[in-house]
Amino acid sequence: MGRAVPAVTRALDILELFLESAPLSAADITRQLGLPRTTVHELLSTLTDRSYLVPVPGQPTRYVLGLRLFQLGSVVADQLDLAHEARREAEMVAARCDETVQVAILDGTDVVYIAKADSTHPVRLVSAVGRRLPAHCTGLGKVLLSGLSAEALDALYPRDRELAGMTPRSITSPARLRIHLAEIRERGIAYDDCESNEAVHCVAAPVFDHTGAMVAAMSISVPSLRWSNERQREWGALVREGAAVLSRRLGHRPPSPSSPASSSGQEMPEKARTIT
């Protein structure tokens, strides 16, 4: 690996300051990075000339990120393939737990599986990419539904219409579903306690993209014979980690600890992407 170029490193350090706060002045940058004032002004001049930074209208000594960065970010976003990235991370998580790992998206009231990695155990969940299941009966689906607005949820699940179940443990009451989704929203993780398959437990976590939208969910599915309270905690932590890694690959940046959105410790935005 070649030697880092100091001037480029400093320019990137300046740009990365804007990830946490904006606008910033030359004095702000000098103080935060500890760089010489002359160096900061030279770098700001270069970044402004190339449209990576732009002066704030009416405040020429303060800067915000420019259009060139938006253009570069859009190219990166276009190059990201959710299914490809999901498959890679599902395989990484499966290698650590040796259970079936799946990633799904929301399509109306169904989840559609877009990636999976199989367990090597003789007894394991049998599923397939492209399979559809009722969202309210699965851990993946309940995670995705928890990210919808109340209006979107009402459109999918009218409050006066009972839901069809897949097992005796499936949620069929619209009122109970809404209570359950509020709990998922609070803890940031969902469980499927034999609600879609009487012999399988599941734990699922949300996946976000670069806009902050919930675009998918990742789950670990475990046959009842290998499920326990200890496994629930262990695989819950693992699927959170895997979903967070996949989110970062899609360009997601969780709220900083000091931001209002992170005050509850959750990363569950109000929006989830659905395909109609």
Side-chain angles (χ1 to χ4, degrees):
M1 188 172 181
R3 184 178 65 88
V5 179
V8 175
T9 299
R10 290 169 180 168
L12 294 174
D13 287 341
I14 289 175
L15 293 176
E16 289 173 1
L17 286 179
F18 288 84
L19 294 173
E20 299 298 333
S21 61
L24 292 171
S25 67
D28 295 329
I29 295 168
T30 299
R31 182 178 63 256
Q32 293 188 47
L33 295 181
L35 295 174
R37 185 172 57 181
T38 301
T39 299
V40 169
H41 281 284
E42 291 174 346
L43 290 169
L44 285 175
S45 177
T46 301
L47 291 169
T48 302
D49 288 343
R50 300 294 296 270
S51 298
Y52 288 95
L53 293 176
V54 294
V56 176
Q59 303 179 59
T61 62
R62 296 173 69 79
Y63 301 85
V64 292
L65 295 176
L67 183 60
R68 181 63 68 187
L69 284 169
F70 175 79
Q71 292 171 322
L72 291 174
S74 296
V75 172
V76 173
D78 289 342
Q79 291 174 345
L80 292 174
D81 184 304
L82 175 58
H84 174 71
E85 296 294 340
R87 184 169 59 254
R88 285 178 57 196
E89 187 55 31
E91 290 171 351
M92 295 293 289
V93 174
R96 295 175 61 184
C97 65
D98 198 16
E99 299 292 353
T100 300
V101 179
Q102 301 180 104
V103 179
I105 59 175
L106 190 63
D107 183 6
T109 58
D110 289 342
V111 288
V112 179
Y113 295 91
I114 63 169
K116 70 184 288 282
D118 286 318
S119 164
T120 64
H121 289 290
V123 179
R124 61 183 184 271
L125 175 69
V126 177
S127 65
V129 171
R131 186 185 184 193
R132 306 171 71 94
L133 286 177
H136 70 281
C137 295
T138 70
L140 289 162
K142 289 187 293 183
V143 164
L144 291 163
L145 292 176
S146 74
L148 296 178
S149 66
E151 294 77 14
L153 195 63
D154 287 344
L156 293 175
Y157 302 98
R159 294 174 182 266
D160 59 351
R161 189 179 305 166
E162 187 171 344
L163 309 175
M166 294 184 68
T167 77
R169 303 191 69 171
S170 300
I171 295 175
T172 58
S173 162
R176 184 182 165 210
L177 176 64
R178 283 165 173 78
I179 293 171
H180 191 62
L181 294 180
E183 294 170 352
I184 293 169
R185 206 173 292 121
E186 178 68 23
R187 65 178 177 245
I189 200 167
Y191 301 100
D192 172 352
D193 292 318
C194 304
E195 296 164 54
S196 60
N197 183 320
E198 291 187 76
V200 175
H201 290 262
C202 166
V203 58
V207 174
F208 305 99
D209 71 0
H210 66 287
T211 70
M214 192 192 302
V215 293
M218 173 181 286
S219 71
I220 298 174
S221 297
V222 186
S224 297
L225 61 88
R226 290 197 297 275
W227 187 254
S228 65
N229 290 336
E230 181 182 356
R231 284 290 188 243
Q232 177 174 308
R233 291 189 295 271
E234 186 176 353
W235 296 161
L238 180 58
V239 80
R240 279 182 190 270
E241 181 183 341
V245 171
L246 177 54
S247 297
R248 288 196 293 272
R249 286 182 177 169
L250 298 176
H252 177 63
R253 290 188 69 258
S256 62
S258 60
S259 69
S262 64
S263 59
S264 66
Q266 304 299 328
E267 296 178 17
M268 303 284 282
E270 294 183 355
K271 55 182 179 176
R273 181 175 300 171
T274 61
I275 299 176
T276 57

